[in-house]
Amino acid sequence: MNPSVYLACDLGAESGRCILGTLAEGRLTLEECHRFANGPVRIAGTLRWDLVRLFSEMTTGLRQALTVAPGLRSLSVDTWGGVDYVWHNARQPMLALPYCYRDDRNEPASEALIARLGRERIFGETGIQFMPFNTLYQLSADLETNRDLLGLADGFLLTADFFNGLFGGAPVAEQSLASTTQIYRPERHEWSATLVGDIGLPAKLLPKIVPAGERIGRLRPELAREIGARDDAEIAVVATCSHDTGAAVAAVPAADGADDWAYLGSGTWSLLGLELPSPLLGDNARALN
């Protein structure tokens, strides 16, 4: 049986890498195709992400992957927690360079919204940690100072979902990434209509949420030609577990049902936790803690 080959583009807040995964006879082997630096840039007193350069770097990684594995089956992108996002419309994939979660606007925006709504209301809707850069507060800041931009937008995409869209995927939000935004209701698998209404965000700007592993499109034909893909190449774009920590923990080779292991993830952040059965996600699903 021919091996199955896949490309994972993993973006952290300080670096990125493209990893080729080959599955043959039940064994997965990994090979790094491309590695590059990442970091925000300061523009006109704000801190932004240079997503155009990052997409160019991932395209380089994809081109290099195809020299090794011309029969590549699929690709996907994961990023740092899904707090950052891109406004887009039908003609423009990116209406403005997105803010970095470390931008100075987030602290006052979070303080103002928490003071207005109260912690109990916000936590009761989402159940996640309060951090001043969560998407909820960034959206609140945009609604306060960038309404002209929102008036041009058809919606927003979280960063990994934005890149998957550039490669050819549909404009959707992958579930694990959406769960980091503090506007997602985990028990209902949907955006919090309550918090969306509280901040005054038009519901039409919210992307559809899809589960991890969903095929959302295929590599754009013009991009396939540009990077030298085979004429018969059908490279799927998949919305994998797009939150980088979630993806890393899901990949830990612990036996199903094992309760004697933990994970320690160290990058820009360090996290120590367990993977436990989650009643919110179904009998066989698991949640990170």
Side-chain angles (χ1 to χ4, degrees), residues 75-246:
L75 66 89
S76 190
V77 181
D78 74 71
T79 64
W80 59 94
V83 294
D84 299 323
Y85 55 88
V86 177
W87 292 108
H88 69 95
N89 65 24
R91 293 187 301 109
Q92 298 293 335
M94 182 168 59
L95 291 173
L97 283 176
Y99 285 88
C100 171
Y101 63 85
R102 296 183 185 273
D103 188 80
D104 293 339
R105 71 181 188 150
N106 297 327
E107 193 81 40
S110 66
E111 291 175 354
L113 192 62
I114 291 171
R116 180 163 68 88
L117 300 183
R119 287 178 175 268
E120 288 187 3
R121 183 178 181 86
I122 297 172
F123 189 81
E125 285 290 306
T126 64
I128 73 164
Q129 181 180 1
F130 283 85
M131 292 186 284
F133 46 71
N134 287 346
T135 310
L136 174 66
Y137 312 118
Q138 295 202 50
L139 288 170
S140 182
D142 269 341
L143 286 160
E144 184 70 26
T145 61
N146 288 325
R147 280 194 173 270
D148 54 340
L149 180 63
L150 272 66
L152 299 173
D154 292 338
F156 71 86
L157 288 172
L158 301 170
T159 313
D161 301 318
F162 165 74
F163 284 126
N164 282 334
L166 289 186
F167 279 120
V172 297
E174 187 275 319
Q175 187 176 15
S176 73
L177 206 57
S179 73
T180 70
T181 62
Q182 210 167 18
I183 53 173
Y184 174 75
R185 291 202 65 166
E187 81 281 15
R188 294 186 180 179
H189 313 294
E190 65 186 21
W191 300 114
S192 167
T194 297
L195 293 178
V196 169
D198 284 341
I199 65 175
L201 180 70
K204 67 180 182 179
L205 298 179
L206 295 163
K208 174 186 175 183
I209 297 171
V210 300
E214 185 98 347
R215 287 193 172 210
I216 57 174
R218 67 182 184 90
L219 187 66
R220 297 181 187 277
E222 67 274 17
L223 182 55
R225 290 191 295 270
E226 177 187 329
I227 61 176
R230 294 188 325 205
D231 291 340
D232 62 347
E234 288 285 338
I235 303 172
V237 178
V238 179
T240 58
C241 194
S242 299
H243 177 207
D244 57 357
T245 303

